[in-house]
Amino acid sequence: MDKRQTSARKIMITSALPYASGSLHLGHFVEHSQSDIWARLLRARGHEVKFLCADDAHGTPIMLNAEKQGMTPEQLVDGIREEHWRDLQAFGVSYDHYHSTHTPENQQLVSEIYLKLKKAGHIESKIVEQYFDPEREMFLPDRFVKGTCPKCGTEDQYSDGCEACGSTYDSTEIKNPVSVVSGATPVMKESKHLFVNLKNFESMLKDWVASGSLQEEVTNKLAEWFEAGLQSWDISRDAPYFGFQIPEEDNKYFYVWMDAPVGYLACLKHVCDNNGEDFAPWIDPKTEHEMYHFIGKDILYFHSLFWPAMLHGANMKLPNAVYVHGFLTVNGTKMSKSRGTFIKASTYLEHLNPDYLRYYFAAKLSDGLVDIDLNMDDFRQRVNSDLVGKVVNIASRCAGFIKKKFNSTLSAQLHNQALYDEFISHSEEIAELFENRKYNAAVRQIMALADKANQYIADMAPWVAIKDEDKQLEVHQVCSTGINLFRVLMTWLAPVIPFTASKSAEFLNTDLNDWFAINDPLLNHGINKFKPLISRIEPETLDAIIEQSKQDLEATQAAQTVKTGNGQLIADPISPEINFDAFAQVDLRIARIVDAQHVEKADKLLQLTLDIGDETRNVFAGIKSAYQPEDLIGKHTVMVANLAPRKMRFGMSEGMVLAAGPGGKDLFILEPHEGAQPGMRVK
């Protein structure tokens, strides 16, 4: 019996927008795979799905990155989008369209939403003090200011939190602030900013949260935020800024997080306009159309508070649900550049079938926020055991007999109809598990049934029975039953492993993208020649991926823009491991400090004149927090003598001074009696 639902739902599904700052890595594909499996499942069950995503293309990091590369921001984001779309397609992510937030549709929609919020009295202005770079003449986001932690004294920390002691603080509290953009000392400057008053939406947001639109863990987290009190949300940035100008304002731009989620609707509008469809029903608050977002837990605040508040204030439909997942670790730890476990999507694709990773993620993903681990040994063993040893093994054991003995045609009757019916009886339960995002439970059930199919074939042993002329019909029916069981399994797995499903569909000569077609077995049905559908993963292949990843991610000389989920930050890349030969090239020399001077307009630098035996060097060193210049004269230190000279705004620095200690006032160099003679090499 066909249990197809009588009416198709109209469903919009989105993934969080990758930031247009660099290549996609395997961490991104936890989410893209999760959302794609869901979209493919719902399509297979007859629903009208619009599966959409885009690049998040605005913000100061994009502007500065483009400038650094000698191109316009538009050129940068266009190139990144092309790369992202290429990798997403290669991984089988079936977006109906992949857009950008830097589009006319997005500018139109974000402006409309803002003006509606303003008209309804939800926008307020405040004068704020913010760090300003006097050299670049621009206001600096928190992540563009570094300095000394006010709590523990560790240097080179961002102005919104310390990575050493874990403290968070107001950006104005940081000591010895320095602009990441120019190296200049920033000054505090006032500016008018625009805010959305979230307190106006507190009652509505509590009702929406209570409606079941979020997971229990998310609801609990939001309860903490409600208890602490909702804060007004700063939605403006000052020029220069790469983004959309705010209507009715001079030199004010929408903060990237204002227009980024609107990008979901902009992508939908683009699709509707191009297809001649009406966009209005999708955003009507009373519509039966459905909207779902898949996101990482690091951008929960934006999607569970800001986004529904914006939509409600603009009289637009709220999301039916926001589905939040955890992060990806590799071999039990955070992805590491030096270990080669920070793996780009393109690097993986050079070596392995994307279905392997899609399957492994599905076998790990649940409906919760728990992080999932890509353990390389477990990854290899699970793929080899489940996909190769169980599922594909069913077809490979039966296909040869059908081709050679029965003219590539399945029998008119199954040998074990009861077993087939048992498989079909699980179909709705498996669909429900997938739709409820309990992918790991669905996969476990599918693999348990694959075991049952393999046991059936082993018990019937067609390779033995084929030798008996009286059992030819039985062999035909047994192998045809096996092929049909394989078809059922692959139909269930098609949303997970689409490339293998496509090859299987060609072999079976049938469509595997209709969930309900398996209710009727293939009888008297011609099949095509069986070709290998999937191969085993070898340890050497994984080793090659790790090694190539180390080469892919060699440290660059400048800081890179890094995006986690949809949160943006500027971070220095972790340097890859070096071998002893490379380390031996570093020339460490004992140096005597013959002079030390304050550096005008530099809060943490001292200018040192160093005697290294046969010459003197001028070096700028960030040790002012620990020493007065006059206290350093005559002391010894260690310097990197073969470091290329670096031109700084204060002058040329001809080396690097090494000092030990936790930072702040606790930095230690050598007293004269503790060191060797100037110029001696440290070994």
Side-chain angles (χ1 to χ4, degrees), residues 276-346:
E277 301 176 45
D278 189 0
F279 171 68
W282 287 95
I283 57 173
D284 187 334
K286 298 179 181 179
T287 188
E288 293 185 356
H289 292 31
E290 302 171 44
M291 178 166 63
Y292 300 91
H293 303 303
F294 285 78
I295 65 166
K297 60 186 179 182
D298 56 332
I299 53 173
L300 172 59
Y301 201 92
F302 299 99
H303 284 78
S304 60
L305 294 177
F306 297 161
W307 179 227
M310 287 168 58
L311 292 170
H312 180 78
N315 194 32
M316 292 181 175
K317 172 186 169 51
L318 300 185
N320 291 75
V322 175
Y323 295 137
V324 187
H325 61 80
F327 297 139
L328 177 69
T329 59
V330 179
N331 292 335
T333 61
K334 291 182 179 180
M335 291 188 292
S336 165
K337 296 180 179 181
S338 62
R339 295 189 186 99
T341 55
F342 194 97
I343 302 169
K344 293 198 302 184
S346 57

Side-chain angles (χ1 to χ4, degrees), residues 558-575:
Q560 295 178 340
T561 304
V562 177
K563 185 81 169 199
T564 303
N566 212 29
Q568 63 195 52
L569 58 142
I570 295 295
D572 293 328
I574 299 172
S575 298

Side-chain angles (χ1 to χ4, degrees), residues 93-343:
V93 184
S94 58
Y95 289 124
D96 294 295
H97 182 63
Y98 192 76
H99 212 47
S100 167
T101 58
H102 191 65
T103 60
E105 299 95 347
N106 203 32
Q107 185 168 18
Q108 174 193 337
L109 285 169
V110 72
S111 297
E112 288 177 1
I113 290 172
Y114 166 78
L115 291 172
K116 287 179 180 179
L117 291 171
K118 183 178 179 181
K119 185 176 181 181
H122 300 306
I123 302 296
E124 57 189 30
S125 64
K126 299 178 185 178
I127 300 299
V128 300
E129 269 199 326
Q130 191 177 357
Y131 278 120
F132 183 82
D133 187 322
E135 286 195 5
R136 290 297 306 272
E137 296 186 340
M138 62 180 290
F139 284 95
L140 297 168
D142 291 344
R143 284 276 162 167
F144 285 83
V145 178
K146 281 188 172 184
T148 303
C149 172
K151 308 294 184 182
C152 71
T154 302
E155 295 184 346
D156 201 34
Q157 298 303 305
Y158 292 113
S159 65
D160 58 352
C162 178
E163 296 177 352
C165 69
S167 298
T168 57
Y169 36 79
D170 188 274
S171 62
T172 58
E173 296 181 66
I174 197 166
K175 298 179 180 179
N176 308 320
V178 174
S179 167
V180 172
V181 180
S182 70
T185 301
V187 298
M188 298 304 298
K189 189 173 181 179
E190 290 185 343
S191 174
K192 184 186 84 168
H193 276 223
L194 302 172
F195 293 77
V196 174
N197 190 339
L198 279 184
K199 290 182 180 179
N200 294 356
F201 301 95
E202 184 168 351
S203 176
M204 178 279 296
L205 288 170
K206 287 181 176 178
D207 290 342
W208 180 69
V209 170
S211 70
S213 298
L214 302 165
Q215 295 130 292
E216 183 178 355
E217 305 103 305
V218 175
T219 300
N220 294 338
K221 185 63 180 177
L222 289 179
E224 297 176 15
W225 289 335
F226 284 127
E227 185 176 347
L230 298 182
Q231 303 298 312
S232 293
W233 172 36
D234 190 343
I235 61 165
S236 68
R237 292 296 184 267
D238 293 280
Y241 190 82
F242 180 55
F244 296 137
Q245 282 195 275
I246 298 178
E248 303 174 355
E249 297 287 339
D250 293 327
N251 293 320
K252 301 291 181 183
Y253 291 78
F254 285 120
Y255 173 45
V256 61
W257 266 111
M258 178 71 181
D259 67 68
V262 180
Y264 299 138
L265 299 182
C267 185
L268 175 63
K269 187 176 189 305
H270 177 87
V271 170
C272 288
D273 290 348
N274 280 8
N275 294 343
E277 301 176 45
D278 189 0
F279 171 68
W282 287 95
I283 57 173
D284 187 334
K286 298 179 181 179
T287 188
E288 293 185 356
H289 292 31
E290 302 171 44
M291 178 166 63
Y292 300 91
H293 303 303
F294 285 78
I295 65 166
K297 60 186 179 182
D298 56 332
I299 53 173
L300 172 59
Y301 201 92
F302 299 99
H303 284 78
S304 60
L305 294 177
F306 297 161
W307 179 227
M310 287 168 58
L311 292 170
H312 180 78
N315 194 32
M316 292 181 175
K317 172 186 169 51
L318 300 185
N320 291 75
V322 175
Y323 295 137
V324 187
H325 61 80
F327 297 139
L328 177 69
T329 59
V330 179
N331 292 335
T333 61
K334 291 182 179 180
M335 291 188 292
S336 165
K337 296 180 179 181
S338 62
R339 295 189 186 99
T341 55
F342 194 97
I343 302 169

Side-chain angles (χ1 to χ4, degrees), residues 50 107 117 131 174 199 258 288 341 353 360 426 467 476 563 582 599 605 666 674 678:
K50 294 195 186 300
Q107 185 168 18
L117 291 171
Y131 278 120
I174 197 166
K199 290 182 180 179
M258 178 71 181
E288 293 185 356
T341 55
N353 185 330
Y360 190 75
H426 290 282
K467 299 174 183 177
H476 193 191
K563 185 81 169 199
V599 178
L605 289 179
D666 296 324
E674 296 175 317

